[in-house]
Amino acid sequence: MATAAADAADPLTPWGPGERAARLRAQLQHHAQRYYVLDAPEIPDAEYDRLFQELQAIEAAHPELLSADSPTQRVIGKVLAGFASVRHALAMLSIRTETDTTANGAIAFDGRVRRELELVEADAPIEYAAELKFDGLAINLRYEHGVLVQAATRGDGESGEDVTQNIRTIAEIPLRLSNNAAPVLEVRGEVYMRRDRFDALNERQRALIAQGAKNEKTFVNPRNAAAGAVRQLDPAIAAKRPLSFFAYGLGDVQGWDVPDTHSGLLDALAAAGVPVCRDRAVVQGAEGLIAFHMAMGAKRDALPFDIDGVVYKVNSRALQQRLGFVTREPRWAVAHKYPAQEQMTLLRDIDIQVGRTGKLTPVAKLEPVFVGGTTVSNATLHNEDETRRKDVRIGDTVIVRRAGDVIPEVVGVVLDRRPSDVGEPFDLYRRLNGQCPICGSAITREEGEVDWRCSGGLFCPAQRKQAILHFAQRRALDIEGLGDKLVDQLVDAGIVRTLPELYTLGLAKLTELDRMGEKSAVNLLAGLQGSKRTTLARFLYGLGIRHVGETTAKDLAKHFGGIDRVTGATVEQLLEVHDVGPVVAQSIRTFFDQPHNVEVVEQLRSAGVHWEETEGAVADVAPKRLAGITFVLTGTLPTLSREDAKERIEAAGGKVSGSVSRKTHFVVAGDEAGAKLDKARELGIAVLDEAGLLEMLRLPA
Ligand code: IVH
C-alpha cells in the first residue's frame, strides 16, 4: 500500500484513466479501512476527499469505468414503495439469553457446554470467544466475489427485507472486501448508532420540529433510531442518520476456507476491511467469561455505543459443530446480560428545578425503580417542549433511562398503559403560576427558546454561584483570587448571597473558611479592592444579563454612557443601540424590571464600584473630549492595564493605534517602553505618562 500511496502523490503518473481509477479505488478502500476499522488513519480527511474527487472526475469523464464497488457509488438511490423480501440462504438464528446478570450466568453456560461435550472436571477449560452484545439490529451482508451485492434485515429469521440501498450509505461497510474474492461470503453483524450521533440526530430533529416540521419526531434510543434508518424508504433520509456496523459472524459461505476458530474468523473479517469491534477476547473457562463480563461491565458507560450484555461463543468451530442447535438456538453461544439501563415506572408528579443559570427544568418524580444499577426516583424531563412532545402526564407509565453517571431521564411514555384519569398536558407556566419556585421572580421564555427561566438573576439563590463567578471573571470585574471553589464555600456557608456582599467581606469572616489561610484572605481582599475601579462596559457585562456579552456591553456603555440611562431605557431606546435586536432589548428590559437587580446595581455603587461615565452616543452631537485624537500605548503603566487604558480612551471618543506614525497625537509610555517611545521622540510626538493620560480624560470636552 505504501507504494500506491506514493503513486497517488504524483499526479503526473502517466497512467490511463482505467488504471488510475483502479488504483484510486484501492487506495480509497485502504484508507477507509484504516479510518473506520482500524481507527488509525494514515492521511488527513482532506487528502481522502481529494482522492475521492479525482476518482469521481475520472468516472464522470469515462462512465464505462464505473463499477458497483467504487467508493463513489454510495450514492443515494430512489425512494421505495416498499422493501423486497429476501429469503436467507441460511436462516438467521438468535441466541439464548442468560438473564441472571451475576457471575452465575457465565457459570451456567459453561456448565451446559461441558455437560453436552461430556467433559469431566479434570478436563481442561473450554476456550471461548467473548464479545459485546451490540444493541442495534441484525443485518446480513452478502458479498459475491468480494463485492457487496445485497443487505437484508433478519425479519423472521427465514426471510428479511432487502435494505441494500440504505446499507450502502453506511460509509464504514466496505462495498468491496480486501483480499477476499470468495464466490459467496455472507457477513452477519449489527447495525447500530453511536450515542453521540444519536444525540446530535435528536438535536437536529428537535430543531426541525421547532421550525414547524410536522412529520418529524425524536427517537427514544439509538436502537430505534438505527432501526428506523435502516427501514427508511427514502434513502436520502436514511443517509442522514449516521449508522455504524460491527460484524459478529457468518451466513452462507461458498469457496472460502473459514478459519478454525471464531476469533480467527473475526480477525479474517477485520483483515478484509469489515468493521469488527476490538473489545473482544479469547478466554478460558467460566472464570475467563466472568472476568470479561466484569471488565466490559465496568467499561460499558464509557463505550461510544449501547450494549445490553456480552456474548460468549465456543471458540473452536469444530466444537461448535459438535454442540449443534436446540430448536433455533446454537448450544455454543449465549448472551449474558447486564442490568437494564431502561425501565418502566409510574410518573407520580412533576417538580421544577432552578438551575445555576436560572433555567427551569421539569423533573419527574417517579415510583422508585431499579435502573442502570441504582434506584432512581427523580429523572429529568429536560424542558417543556420535550415534555409536551412526549406528552408526558402525571399518572403515566414512562420509560426511564440511566446510563453511567448521566442524569437519569424520561425517554418516553408507554401510551398503552395510560389510565383514563391521567393528568392534563404539562404546562410549566400554569404549574408555577408564572413565578420562580425559589425566589418568586417572574419566569420568562423567549421566542425560539426551549427553556423557561427565572428572571430573578442575581437575587435568586439558585443562580448566585454562577452569577458571582461571572461577575468575578477576568473580562468582567476581574476579581483576583476568587475562583469557583471559594465561591462554592462562600455561598454554601451563607456568607455571600448577593454580589454587593462580596465587598463586605472582612478578614475575620474569610479566615473562618476551610483551607483559607490569612495570606489568601488578604490576597482576596486586595483583589476585591482592585476590582472596584472598572469600566461601565465591564460592569454591565459582569451583571450577567442574558444575551449581553462583552461586545453588547461595550455597545451599551458607548451608547448610553451612564448606568442610569441603561437601567431606565425602554425597549425602543435599547433598540437604537448598535447591534441590539428585539431579543436582547427585551432581555435587558426584563432584567432591570426586577427591582432586586436595580438594587444590586445601587449597592455595588455604594460599595465603591465605580467607573467613568460619559454622556454617551445619545449626546454624540457634542464632540467628546478626545474625539479625533489618536494614542499609542507602550510599556507598563503603574495602575491601568493596557486594556483599561484603551477602554477609557475609546469611551472618551479617542482612538488607540498599535504603531507610532506622524498621525499619532500622543504616546502614553509606562515602564520599559521601547521602540515606540524612541519613534515618538524621533517624530517629535508628545509623550504622556499615566497621570497625564488620566488628567486628559478628566478635561472637559
Ligand atoms: S451471535 C447464531 N453476537 O443479538 C448466533 N449476536 O439473538 C447469532 N447481537 O439480534 C448471533 N451482538 O443481532 C451475536 N456479538 C454478537 C451480537 C449479537 C448483538 C444480536 C443479534 C441478535 C441477538 C442474538
Side-chain angles (χ1 to χ4, degrees):
M1 228 33 235
T3 51
D7 290 342
D10 176 11
L12 302 174
T13 315
W15 286 326
E19 264 174 309
R20 181 71 188 140
R23 274 175 189 262
L24 283 168
R25 277 179 206 135
Q27 284 179 315
L28 287 165
Q29 193 182 342
H30 166 79
H31 292 302
Q33 184 178 352
R34 296 288 314 182
Y35 185 89
Y36 291 115
V37 185
L38 304 174
D39 220 358
E42 292 168 339
I43 54 171
D45 294 0
E47 177 60 13
Y48 183 90
D49 295 344
R50 199 192 61 71
L51 296 174
F52 192 91
Q53 283 155 12
E54 188 185 343
L55 178 58
Q56 271 182 324
I58 296 177
E59 289 174 344
H62 306 276
E64 73 281 3
L65 295 176
L66 254 174
S67 66
D69 65 320
S70 174
T72 58
Q73 295 309 293
R74 289 186 198 274
V75 287
I76 293 165
K78 293 192 287 291
V79 178
L80 302 177
F83 294 107
S85 172
V86 176
R87 194 161 181 84
H88 297 302
L90 211 75
M92 286 182 81
L93 305 179
S94 63
I95 42 180
R96 177 181 168 128
T97 299
E98 202 53 74
T99 46
D100 185 336
T101 60
T102 70
N104 292 333
I107 295 167
F109 171 62
D110 181 56
R112 282 198 303 278
V113 169
R114 291 182 73 90
R115 267 195 306 282
E116 201 62 42
L117 294 172
E118 297 175 340
L119 298 180
V120 293
E121 216 166 299
D123 289 316
I126 306 265
E127 182 172 280
Y128 294 103
E131 55 201 56
L132 301 178
K133 186 168 190 298
F134 314 107
D135 203 5
L137 71 157
I139 290 286
N140 185 67
L141 303 177
R142 187 175 173 92
Y143 289 89
E144 288 178 5
H145 305 288
V147 177
L148 177 67
V149 293
Q150 188 179 62
T153 61
R154 175 164 176 246
D156 62 5
E158 298 298 330
S159 325
E161 290 175 315
D162 184 339
V163 289
T164 314
Q165 200 170 232
N166 290 341
I167 295 299
R168 286 176 73 90
T169 67
I170 304 177
E172 55 186 72
I173 293 184
L175 299 177
R176 171 184 279 278
L177 299 175
S178 308
N179 308 320
N180 191 316
V184 176
L185 175 55
E186 289 188 354
V187 176
R188 287 185 178 169
E190 200 87 347
V191 166
Y192 66 96
M193 191 179 287
R194 288 169 52 127
R195 199 146 253 291
D196 56 350
R197 296 185 174 164
F198 167 75
D199 291 337
L201 170 65
N202 262 354
E203 190 114 327
R204 281 208 308 276
Q205 292 299 106
R206 275 193 283 272
L208 287 176
I209 296 164
Q211 286 160 23
K214 286 277 172 293
N215 298 324
E216 302 294 341
K217 58 168 196 157
T218 54
F219 299 92
V220 170
N221 56 38
R223 176 162 37 80
N224 288 4
V230 168
R231 300 201 61 259
Q232 172 56 244
L233 289 165
D234 182 348
I237 298 179
K240 285 194 207 132
R241 311 234 167 115
L243 298 173
S244 302
F245 177 83
F246 279 136
Y248 55 63
L250 293 180
D252 189 19
V253 178
Q254 290 168 33
W256 185 49
D257 260 345
V258 180
D260 293 338
T261 57
H262 182 74
S263 55
L265 158 66
L266 293 185
D267 293 341
L269 290 179
V274 178
V276 174
C277 181
R278 270 180 285 178
D279 282 306
R280 60 191 172 103
V282 173
V283 302
Q284 310 297 324
E287 269 173 40
L289 297 178
I290 295 166
F292 185 79
H293 188 259
M294 289 197 344
M296 292 303 130
K299 199 173 173 181
R300 183 184 189 190
D301 295 326
L303 291 170
F305 47 83
D306 282 357
I307 57 169
D308 55 351
V310 289
V311 175
Y312 309 138
K313 295 169 183 172
V314 171
N315 202 22
S316 149
R317 290 179 24 94
L319 285 186
Q320 287 182 7
Q321 253 144 33
R322 261 177 67 193
L323 286 158
F325 295 81
V326 243
T327 59
R328 307 190 48 74
E329 294 170 350
R331 283 201 192 83
W332 45 265
V334 79
H336 191 189
K337 293 275 217 169
Y338 287 123
Q341 288 177 321
E342 285 182 9
Q343 285 293 355
M344 285 196 305
T345 190
L346 185 72
L347 176 65
R348 290 163 164 281
D349 200 358
I350 300 177
D351 260 10
I352 290 144
Q353 245 170 34
V354 188
R356 280 181 144 205
T357 55
K359 180 181 159 194
L360 299 168
T361 306
V363 177
K365 298 277 143 185
L366 305 165
E367 182 67 37
V369 63
F370 193 73
V371 53
T374 50
T375 303
V376 167
S377 41
N378 297 315
T380 181
L381 285 162
H382 298 292
N383 55 54
E384 186 181 45
D385 272 15
E386 280 290 300
T387 311
R388 287 212 185 168
R389 188 169 311 119
K390 292 170 185 158
D391 192 17
V392 178
R393 306 193 197 184
I394 296 168
D396 265 331
T397 296
V398 293
I399 300 168
V400 191
R401 177 182 167 86
R402 180 186 179 274
D405 295 333
V406 181
I407 302 167
E409 58 170 347
V410 170
V411 293
V413 174
V414 188
L415 282 176
D416 292 353
R417 300 208 175 190
R418 172 165 285 176
S420 52
D421 62 343
V422 75
E424 300 278 298
F426 180 66
D427 183 330
L428 193 144
Y429 189 88
R430 263 203 3 226
R431 181 63 194 256
L432 292 181
N433 252 329
Q435 291 177 334
C436 170
I438 303 288
C439 71
S441 301
I443 67 167
T444 59
R445 175 178 167 164
E446 283 152 25
E447 234 182 273
E449 292 273 332
V450 291
D451 296 314
W452 283 95
R453 287 176 187 274
C454 161
S455 61
L458 313 177
F459 173 75
C460 182
Q463 298 173 59
R464 269 176 209 150
K465 290 181 184 175
Q466 184 63 29
I468 293 171
L469 283 169
H470 179 83
F471 185 75
Q473 68 171 295
R474 203 178 47 77
R475 293 180 307 173
L477 275 276
D478 193 14
I479 306 178
E480 267 177 57
L482 188 59
D484 48 4
K485 295 238 166 54
L486 190 49
V487 169
D488 279 351
Q489 275 187 302
L490 290 169
V491 174
D492 292 343
I495 297 174
V496 173
R497 282 162 305 163
T498 64
L499 295 179
E501 280 180 357
L502 282 171
Y503 293 100
T504 64
L505 287 172
L507 209 52
K509 256 191 212 162
L510 281 174
T511 42
E512 273 169 27
L513 294 173
D514 270 1
R515 295 188 300 275
M516 171 66 85
E518 194 169 305
K519 187 149 176 260
S520 1
V522 169
N523 282 344
L524 174 61
L525 292 177
L528 282 162
Q529 192 57 32
S531 74
K532 286 184 184 172
R533 181 156 140 186
T534 186
T535 64
L536 177 57
R538 282 168 171 269
F539 182 77
L540 282 170
Y541 174 61
L543 290 175
I545 307 165
R546 245 167 84 67
H547 301 303
V548 177
E550 254 184 307
T551 313
T552 306
K554 280 187 187 163
D555 289 342
L556 287 168
K558 202 163 165 194
H559 184 91
F560 290 108
I563 186 74
D564 298 330
R565 280 193 291 274
V566 183
T567 59
T570 62
V571 169
E572 290 68 34
Q573 287 168 335
L574 287 162
L575 283 170
E576 284 167 16
V577 181
H578 173 68
D579 270 355
V580 168
V583 172
V584 181
Q586 188 53 59
S587 164
I588 299 167
R589 194 55 263 149
T590 306
F591 184 88
F592 290 116
D593 275 344
Q594 309 300 314
H596 336 291
N597 289 338
V598 180
E599 214 167 284
V600 161
V601 169
E602 281 318 314
Q603 287 170 351
L604 284 168
R605 291 171 89 183
S606 317
V609 177
H610 66 286
W611 55 84
E612 299 225 1
E613 298 225 333
T614 66
E615 309 214 316
V618 194
D620 236 353
V621 258
K624 288 209 211 162
R625 66 203 92 170
L626 300 183
I629 301 182
T630 301
F631 292 78
V632 171
L633 303 170
T634 178
T636 313
L637 300 178
T639 68
L640 289 178
S641 72
R642 189 67 72 88
E643 206 171 304
D644 284 342
K646 183 167 185 269
E647 271 175 17
R648 283 163 183 246
I649 292 169
E650 286 174 351
K655 228 180 94 182
V656 176
S657 156
S659 57
V660 180
S661 72
R662 282 185 200 286
K663 289 187 189 150
T664 310
H665 296 98
F666 296 99
V667 168
V668 183
D671 276 357
E672 285 167 42
K676 289 181 192 172
L677 183 56
D678 298 341
K679 182 92 186 270
R681 295 214 166 108
E682 197 187 306
L683 297 175
I685 290 164
V687 178
L688 297 172
D689 58 7
E690 184 185 276
L693 172 67
L694 291 172
E695 194 57 40
M696 210 162 177
L697 286 164
R698 267 192 287 276
L699 286 175

